[in-house]
Amino acid sequence: RAKELGKNNYQFFTKDMNEIIANKMNLELGLRKALINEEFELYYQPQVDVGTGKIKGMEALIRWQHPEHGLVPPNQFIPLAEETGLIIPIGKWVMQTACEQAKKWEVMLHRPLRVSVNISALQFQQTDFTEVVKEVLETTKLPASSLELELTESIVQDPEQALPVMNQLKEMGVLLSLDDFGTGYSSLSYLRSFPLDTLKIDKLFIDNMNDVKDDAIVRTIISMANSLELNVIAEGVETVDQLTSLAGKACDEYQGYLFSKPVPHQDLEKILQANTSTMPVI
Ligand code: C2E
Ligand code: MG
Ligand code: MG
Ligand code: MG
């Protein structure tokens, strides 16, 4: 295309760049407005005990109810929110809202329920991050042990920065989980030295469990997690076959469309109420 345009390709690319910048600026403006106008919404996906079928907790996943474009998934705006720093107020809103909701459900069901919140690297690196967590727990009165923070391998990649913060959070009683395990670069020695509670096996490995090698990887991750006394959750479980296979490998919990997609809080409330008696899927 650029070749066809010959001497004009400079202009061509410039116009293209302008468009990209304009789109980004529109999106950034939209995100700022969304915060003020309360257009964000949390969906919740149950995390289920493989053995009993009982819901142990749920992951809060952000959605943007856009006035014109409808429901926007996080992959379409979280990257720009991170780039612009807007993830800091957005992330705080997520944590506050998820903890408020979890507190309501604990009161309703008379049992502890864990809520997992995704944390971006930029959020985690703020010097007041632990203060923000403390404040949210105080205002919502949710026990610290009911809040789990999902960290990515990119966060723990810098142990000198991450470890003191993780230790502080552990002292507060907050649970820590390593999300998307297997897709990043974290080494086994990291797993040993970090104060983690949960390991989440990425959907990629669960998808390919019919492959002998991937099946072996999943088996190894689970047995390693078990020996390190980590709670292990399989992400993106869609079929009974996958669940059966995970049960055979002594996986603790699973999360995926097989049990439920992420749903609005009203829908999760119904699922929670129906789940009080344990009913295994397999
Ligand atoms: P994640 O934390 O790994 O979340 C799991 C994603 O897998 C969710 O996508 C969920 O809907 C999807 N999923 C769960 N089970 C299945 C399944 O059985 N099949 C398939 N195909 N997908 C499944 P979602 O909600 O679109 O979120 C995507 C990513 O966006 C999340 O990945 C997380 O990295 C990020 N994210 C979501 N909410 C937040 C947030 O509040 N803050 C931050 N910083 N990131 C968030
Ligand atoms: Mg997650
Ligand atoms: Mg994940
Ligand atoms: Mg993922």
Side-chain angles (χ1 to χ4, degrees), residues 9 17 27 38 40 57 68 79 92 104 118 142 148 153 176 195 209-210 216 242 244-245 248 255 278-279:
N9 64 1
M17 289 270 280
L27 183 59
E38 297 178 18
F40 293 117
E68 289 143 49
K92 186 177 177 185
K104 282 185 200 160
N118 292 286
L142 186 76
E148 184 157 75
E153 294 183 50
L176 299 176
M209 266 199 305
N210 49 357
Q242 290 170 339
T244 309
S245 167
Q255 184 179 346
T278 66
M279 37 177 189

PDB file of all heavy atoms in Angstrom, residues 9 17 27 38 40 57 68 79 92 104 118 142 148 153 176 195 209-210 216 242 244-245 248 255 278-279:
ATOM      1  N   ASN A   9       3.723   8.535   0.637  1.00  0.00           N
ATOM      2  CA  ASN A   9       3.549   7.607   1.758  1.00  0.00           C
ATOM      3  C   ASN A   9       3.779   8.271   3.122  1.00  0.00           C
ATOM      4  O   ASN A   9       3.242   7.853   4.114  1.00  0.00           O
ATOM      5  CB  ASN A   9       4.393   6.331   1.594  1.00  0.00           C
ATOM      6  CG  ASN A   9       5.872   6.613   1.609  1.00  0.00           C
ATOM      7  OD1 ASN A   9       6.287   7.761   1.762  1.00  0.00           O
ATOM      8  ND2 ASN A   9       6.654   5.568   1.427  1.00  0.00           N
ATOM      9  N   MET A  17      -1.269   7.660  11.770  1.00  0.00           N
ATOM     10  CA  MET A  17      -0.809   7.909  13.130  1.00  0.00           C
ATOM     11  C   MET A  17      -1.764   8.834  13.860  1.00  0.00           C
ATOM     12  O   MET A  17      -2.093   8.615  15.025  1.00  0.00           O
ATOM     13  CB  MET A  17       0.585   8.556  13.106  1.00  0.00           C
ATOM     14  CG  MET A  17       1.672   7.623  12.680  1.00  0.00           C
ATOM     15  SD  MET A  17       2.341   6.785  14.098  1.00  0.00           S
ATOM     16  CE  MET A  17       3.422   8.080  14.721  1.00  0.00           C
ATOM     17  N   LEU A  27     -10.514   7.273  23.725  1.00  0.00           N
ATOM     18  CA  LEU A  27     -10.667   6.192  24.688  1.00  0.00           C
ATOM     19  C   LEU A  27     -10.287   6.668  26.087  1.00  0.00           C
ATOM     20  O   LEU A  27     -10.975   6.381  27.062  1.00  0.00           O
ATOM     21  CB  LEU A  27      -9.808   4.986  24.265  1.00  0.00           C
ATOM     22  CG  LEU A  27      -9.904   3.736  25.143  1.00  0.00           C
ATOM     23  CD1 LEU A  27     -11.332   3.215  25.215  1.00  0.00           C
ATOM     24  CD2 LEU A  27      -8.982   2.636  24.605  1.00  0.00           C
ATOM     25  N   GLU A  38     -19.783   6.439  36.611  1.00  0.00           N
ATOM     26  CA  GLU A  38     -19.994   5.085  37.142  1.00  0.00           C
ATOM     27  C   GLU A  38     -20.483   4.106  36.083  1.00  0.00           C
ATOM     28  O   GLU A  38     -21.499   3.439  36.243  1.00  0.00           O
ATOM     29  CB  GLU A  38     -20.955   5.131  38.344  1.00  0.00           C
ATOM     30  CG  GLU A  38     -20.369   5.928  39.493  1.00  0.00           C
ATOM     31  CD  GLU A  38     -21.290   6.052  40.688  1.00  0.00           C
ATOM     32  OE1 GLU A  38     -22.252   5.265  40.794  1.00  0.00           O
ATOM     33  OE2 GLU A  38     -21.038   6.944  41.513  1.00  0.00           O
ATOM     34  N   PHE A  40     -18.508   1.627  35.011  1.00  0.00           N
ATOM     35  CA  PHE A  40     -17.851   0.327  35.194  1.00  0.00           C
ATOM     36  C   PHE A  40     -18.752  -0.580  36.014  1.00  0.00           C
ATOM     37  O   PHE A  40     -19.562  -0.123  36.825  1.00  0.00           O
ATOM     38  CB  PHE A  40     -16.498   0.489  35.889  1.00  0.00           C
ATOM     39  CG  PHE A  40     -15.495   1.216  35.045  1.00  0.00           C
ATOM     40  CD1 PHE A  40     -14.978   2.445  35.454  1.00  0.00           C
ATOM     41  CD2 PHE A  40     -15.081   0.697  33.827  1.00  0.00           C
ATOM     42  CE1 PHE A  40     -14.055   3.131  34.662  1.00  0.00           C
ATOM     43  CE2 PHE A  40     -14.167   1.373  33.033  1.00  0.00           C
ATOM     44  CZ  PHE A  40     -13.662   2.600  33.455  1.00  0.00           C
ATOM     45  N   GLY A  57     -14.968 -19.295  46.340  1.00  0.00           N
ATOM     46  CA  GLY A  57     -14.762 -17.868  46.165  1.00  0.00           C
ATOM     47  C   GLY A  57     -15.155 -17.454  44.770  1.00  0.00           C
ATOM     48  O   GLY A  57     -15.728 -18.255  44.017  1.00  0.00           O
ATOM     49  N   GLU A  68     -22.625   4.008  24.333  1.00  0.00           N
ATOM     50  CA  GLU A  68     -22.908   3.745  22.913  1.00  0.00           C
ATOM     51  C   GLU A  68     -22.509   2.340  22.473  1.00  0.00           C
ATOM     52  O   GLU A  68     -23.227   1.700  21.715  1.00  0.00           O
ATOM     53  CB  GLU A  68     -22.164   4.746  22.024  1.00  0.00           C
ATOM     54  CG  GLU A  68     -22.735   6.149  22.089  1.00  0.00           C
ATOM     55  CD  GLU A  68     -21.638   7.191  22.021  1.00  0.00           C
ATOM     56  OE1 GLU A  68     -20.779   7.084  21.121  1.00  0.00           O
ATOM     57  OE2 GLU A  68     -21.637   8.098  22.876  1.00  0.00           O
ATOM     58  N   PRO A  79      -5.341  -2.166  29.022  1.00  0.00           N
ATOM     59  CA  PRO A  79      -4.001  -1.738  28.597  1.00  0.00           C
ATOM     60  C   PRO A  79      -3.837  -0.215  28.561  1.00  0.00           C
ATOM     61  O   PRO A  79      -2.834   0.303  29.041  1.00  0.00           O
ATOM     62  CB  PRO A  79      -3.862  -2.353  27.200  1.00  0.00           C
ATOM     63  CG  PRO A  79      -4.750  -3.557  27.243  1.00  0.00           C
ATOM     64  CD  PRO A  79      -5.922  -3.157  28.094  1.00  0.00           C
ATOM     65  N   LYS A  92      -8.720   0.884  42.356  1.00  0.00           N
ATOM     66  CA  LYS A  92      -9.219   1.109  43.715  1.00  0.00           C
ATOM     67  C   LYS A  92     -10.739   0.908  43.757  1.00  0.00           C
ATOM     68  O   LYS A  92     -11.273   0.307  44.691  1.00  0.00           O
ATOM     69  CB  LYS A  92      -8.857   2.518  44.199  1.00  0.00           C
ATOM     70  CG  LYS A  92      -9.244   2.705  45.647  1.00  0.00           C
ATOM     71  CD  LYS A  92      -8.859   4.036  46.233  1.00  0.00           C
ATOM     72  CE  LYS A  92      -9.378   4.084  47.666  1.00  0.00           C
ATOM     73  NZ  LYS A  92      -9.169   5.369  48.307  1.00  0.00           N
ATOM     74  N   LYS A 104     -21.348  -8.421  51.789  1.00  0.00           N
ATOM     75  CA  LYS A 104     -22.798  -8.681  51.726  1.00  0.00           C
ATOM     76  C   LYS A 104     -23.070 -10.176  51.619  1.00  0.00           C
ATOM     77  O   LYS A 104     -23.963 -10.708  52.280  1.00  0.00           O
ATOM     78  CB  LYS A 104     -23.421  -7.969  50.521  1.00  0.00           C
ATOM     79  CG  LYS A 104     -23.648  -6.496  50.732  1.00  0.00           C
ATOM     80  CD  LYS A 104     -24.375  -5.892  49.532  1.00  0.00           C
ATOM     81  CE  LYS A 104     -24.177  -4.377  49.496  1.00  0.00           C
ATOM     82  NZ  LYS A 104     -24.433  -3.796  48.181  1.00  0.00           N
ATOM     83  N   ASN A 118      -8.015  -8.689  40.499  1.00  0.00           N
ATOM     84  CA  ASN A 118      -6.818  -8.595  39.653  1.00  0.00           C
ATOM     85  C   ASN A 118      -6.088  -7.281  39.914  1.00  0.00           C
ATOM     86  O   ASN A 118      -6.703  -6.215  39.937  1.00  0.00           O
ATOM     87  CB  ASN A 118      -7.204  -8.676  38.173  1.00  0.00           C
ATOM     88  CG  ASN A 118      -7.715 -10.053  37.801  1.00  0.00           C
ATOM     89  OD1 ASN A 118      -6.942 -10.996  37.696  1.00  0.00           O
ATOM     90  ND2 ASN A 118      -9.033 -10.166  37.637  1.00  0.00           N
ATOM     91  N   LEU A 142     -14.611  -6.223  55.551  1.00  0.00           N
ATOM     92  CA  LEU A 142     -14.367  -7.581  55.057  1.00  0.00           C
ATOM     93  C   LEU A 142     -13.109  -8.114  55.749  1.00  0.00           C
ATOM     94  O   LEU A 142     -12.104  -7.411  55.822  1.00  0.00           O
ATOM     95  CB  LEU A 142     -14.163  -7.566  53.535  1.00  0.00           C
ATOM     96  CG  LEU A 142     -14.045  -8.960  52.892  1.00  0.00           C
ATOM     97  CD1 LEU A 142     -15.412  -9.625  52.794  1.00  0.00           C
ATOM     98  CD2 LEU A 142     -13.398  -8.881  51.508  1.00  0.00           C
ATOM     99  N   GLU A 148      -8.408 -11.924  48.186  1.00  0.00           N
ATOM    100  CA  GLU A 148      -7.228 -12.464  47.514  1.00  0.00           C
ATOM    101  C   GLU A 148      -6.823 -11.527  46.378  1.00  0.00           C
ATOM    102  O   GLU A 148      -7.665 -11.119  45.586  1.00  0.00           O
ATOM    103  CB  GLU A 148      -7.509 -13.866  46.961  1.00  0.00           C
ATOM    104  CG  GLU A 148      -6.278 -14.515  46.343  1.00  0.00           C
ATOM    105  CD  GLU A 148      -6.368 -16.041  46.314  1.00  0.00           C
ATOM    106  OE1 GLU A 148      -7.113 -16.582  45.474  1.00  0.00           O
ATOM    107  OE2 GLU A 148      -5.707 -16.685  47.147  1.00  0.00           O
ATOM    108  N   GLU A 153       2.817 -12.685  36.734  1.00  0.00           N
ATOM    109  CA  GLU A 153       4.242 -12.977  36.786  1.00  0.00           C
ATOM    110  C   GLU A 153       5.075 -11.726  36.510  1.00  0.00           C
ATOM    111  O   GLU A 153       6.201 -11.617  36.976  1.00  0.00           O
ATOM    112  CB  GLU A 153       4.583 -14.110  35.808  1.00  0.00           C
ATOM    113  CG  GLU A 153       3.931 -15.419  36.251  1.00  0.00           C
ATOM    114  CD  GLU A 153       4.298 -16.606  35.367  1.00  0.00           C
ATOM    115  OE1 GLU A 153       5.482 -16.815  35.122  1.00  0.00           O
ATOM    116  OE2 GLU A 153       3.377 -17.314  34.932  1.00  0.00           O
ATOM    117  N   LEU A 176      -2.632 -14.083  48.637  1.00  0.00           N
ATOM    118  CA  LEU A 176      -1.953 -13.724  47.388  1.00  0.00           C
ATOM    119  C   LEU A 176      -1.984 -14.893  46.418  1.00  0.00           C
ATOM    120  O   LEU A 176      -1.725 -16.035  46.780  1.00  0.00           O
ATOM    121  CB  LEU A 176      -0.496 -13.334  47.669  1.00  0.00           C
ATOM    122  CG  LEU A 176      -0.279 -12.134  48.594  1.00  0.00           C
ATOM    123  CD1 LEU A 176       1.213 -11.931  48.840  1.00  0.00           C
ATOM    124  CD2 LEU A 176      -0.895 -10.869  47.992  1.00  0.00           C
ATOM    125  N   PRO A 195       5.594 -15.388  49.328  1.00  0.00           N
ATOM    126  CA  PRO A 195       4.548 -15.839  50.258  1.00  0.00           C
ATOM    127  C   PRO A 195       3.193 -15.974  49.556  1.00  0.00           C
ATOM    128  O   PRO A 195       2.282 -15.211  49.813  1.00  0.00           O
ATOM    129  CB  PRO A 195       4.532 -14.733  51.323  1.00  0.00           C
ATOM    130  CG  PRO A 195       4.940 -13.506  50.574  1.00  0.00           C
ATOM    131  CD  PRO A 195       5.872 -13.952  49.488  1.00  0.00           C
ATOM    132  N   MET A 209      -4.984 -30.070  27.322  1.00  0.00           N
ATOM    133  CA  MET A 209      -4.719 -31.247  28.159  1.00  0.00           C
ATOM    134  C   MET A 209      -4.878 -32.576  27.426  1.00  0.00           C
ATOM    135  O   MET A 209      -4.431 -33.597  27.925  1.00  0.00           O
ATOM    136  CB  MET A 209      -5.602 -31.234  29.413  1.00  0.00           C
ATOM    137  CG  MET A 209      -4.908 -30.602  30.606  1.00  0.00           C
ATOM    138  SD  MET A 209      -5.655 -31.058  32.161  1.00  0.00           S
ATOM    139  CE  MET A 209      -7.343 -30.591  31.916  1.00  0.00           C
ATOM    140  N   ASN A 210      -5.531 -32.538  26.248  1.00  0.00           N
ATOM    141  CA  ASN A 210      -5.602 -33.789  25.471  1.00  0.00           C
ATOM    142  C   ASN A 210      -4.265 -34.116  24.800  1.00  0.00           C
ATOM    143  O   ASN A 210      -4.048 -35.226  24.337  1.00  0.00           O
ATOM    144  CB  ASN A 210      -6.752 -33.763  24.451  1.00  0.00           C
ATOM    145  CG  ASN A 210      -6.753 -32.491  23.633  1.00  0.00           C
ATOM    146  OD1 ASN A 210      -5.922 -31.596  23.861  1.00  0.00           O
ATOM    147  ND2 ASN A 210      -7.655 -32.386  22.686  1.00  0.00           N
ATOM    148  N   ALA A 216       1.010 -33.648  30.949  1.00  0.00           N
ATOM    149  CA  ALA A 216       2.113 -33.873  31.894  1.00  0.00           C
ATOM    150  C   ALA A 216       2.486 -32.566  32.605  1.00  0.00           C
ATOM    151  O   ALA A 216       2.776 -32.569  33.802  1.00  0.00           O
ATOM    152  CB  ALA A 216       3.316 -34.452  31.163  1.00  0.00           C
ATOM    153  N   GLN A 242     -12.196 -32.284  30.977  1.00  0.00           N
ATOM    154  CA  GLN A 242     -11.122 -31.519  31.625  1.00  0.00           C
ATOM    155  C   GLN A 242     -11.252 -31.606  33.149  1.00  0.00           C
ATOM    156  O   GLN A 242     -10.261 -31.814  33.854  1.00  0.00           O
ATOM    157  CB  GLN A 242     -11.170 -30.045  31.193  1.00  0.00           C
ATOM    158  CG  GLN A 242     -10.758 -29.832  29.740  1.00  0.00           C
ATOM    159  CD  GLN A 242     -11.036 -28.414  29.259  1.00  0.00           C
ATOM    160  OE1 GLN A 242     -11.854 -27.687  29.829  1.00  0.00           O
ATOM    161  NE2 GLN A 242     -10.366 -28.017  28.192  1.00  0.00           N
ATOM    162  N   THR A 244     -12.754 -33.923  34.956  1.00  0.00           N
ATOM    163  CA  THR A 244     -12.443 -35.290  35.400  1.00  0.00           C
ATOM    164  C   THR A 244     -10.931 -35.487  35.484  1.00  0.00           C
ATOM    165  O   THR A 244     -10.417 -36.029  36.470  1.00  0.00           O
ATOM    166  CB  THR A 244     -13.037 -36.320  34.414  1.00  0.00           C
ATOM    167  OG1 THR A 244     -14.419 -36.000  34.213  1.00  0.00           O
ATOM    168  CG2 THR A 244     -12.915 -37.734  34.948  1.00  0.00           C
ATOM    169  N   SER A 245     -10.262 -35.012  34.452  1.00  0.00           N
ATOM    170  CA  SER A 245      -8.810 -35.136  34.416  1.00  0.00           C
ATOM    171  C   SER A 245      -8.160 -34.367  35.574  1.00  0.00           C
ATOM    172  O   SER A 245      -7.216 -34.853  36.207  1.00  0.00           O
ATOM    173  CB  SER A 245      -8.315 -34.640  33.063  1.00  0.00           C
ATOM    174  OG  SER A 245      -6.932 -34.466  33.079  1.00  0.00           O
ATOM    175  N   GLY A 248      -8.523 -36.185  38.846  1.00  0.00           N
ATOM    176  CA  GLY A 248      -7.559 -37.275  38.916  1.00  0.00           C
ATOM    177  C   GLY A 248      -6.151 -36.803  39.276  1.00  0.00           C
ATOM    178  O   GLY A 248      -5.329 -37.587  39.748  1.00  0.00           O
ATOM    179  N   GLN A 255     -12.237 -23.049  37.706  1.00  0.00           N
ATOM    180  CA  GLN A 255     -12.995 -21.863  37.339  1.00  0.00           C
ATOM    181  C   GLN A 255     -13.174 -21.975  35.837  1.00  0.00           C
ATOM    182  O   GLN A 255     -12.241 -22.312  35.123  1.00  0.00           O
ATOM    183  CB  GLN A 255     -12.109 -20.666  37.691  1.00  0.00           C
ATOM    184  CG  GLN A 255     -12.687 -19.314  37.506  1.00  0.00           C
ATOM    185  CD  GLN A 255     -11.698 -18.196  37.911  1.00  0.00           C
ATOM    186  OE1 GLN A 255     -10.700 -18.455  38.563  1.00  0.00           O
ATOM    187  NE2 GLN A 255     -11.996 -16.994  37.494  1.00  0.00           N
ATOM    188  N   THR A 278     -23.984 -29.149  48.754  1.00  0.00           N
ATOM    189  CA  THR A 278     -22.920 -29.446  47.796  1.00  0.00           C
ATOM    190  C   THR A 278     -23.403 -30.446  46.748  1.00  0.00           C
ATOM    191  O   THR A 278     -24.046 -31.443  47.049  1.00  0.00           O
ATOM    192  CB  THR A 278     -21.679 -30.007  48.501  1.00  0.00           C
ATOM    193  OG1 THR A 278     -22.006 -31.259  49.061  1.00  0.00           O
ATOM    194  CG2 THR A 278     -21.182 -29.063  49.574  1.00  0.00           C
ATOM    195  N   MET A 279     -23.139 -30.105  45.528  1.00  0.00           N
ATOM    196  CA  MET A 279     -23.527 -31.009  44.435  1.00  0.00           C
ATOM    197  C   MET A 279     -22.414 -31.070  43.402  1.00  0.00           C
ATOM    198  O   MET A 279     -22.232 -30.155  42.610  1.00  0.00           O
ATOM    199  CB  MET A 279     -24.826 -30.538  43.791  1.00  0.00           C
ATOM    200  CG  MET A 279     -24.921 -29.026  43.707  1.00  0.00           C
ATOM    201  SD  MET A 279     -26.423 -28.510  42.881  1.00  0.00           S
ATOM    202  CE  MET A 279     -26.108 -26.769  42.688  1.00  0.00           C
TER     203      MET A 279
END
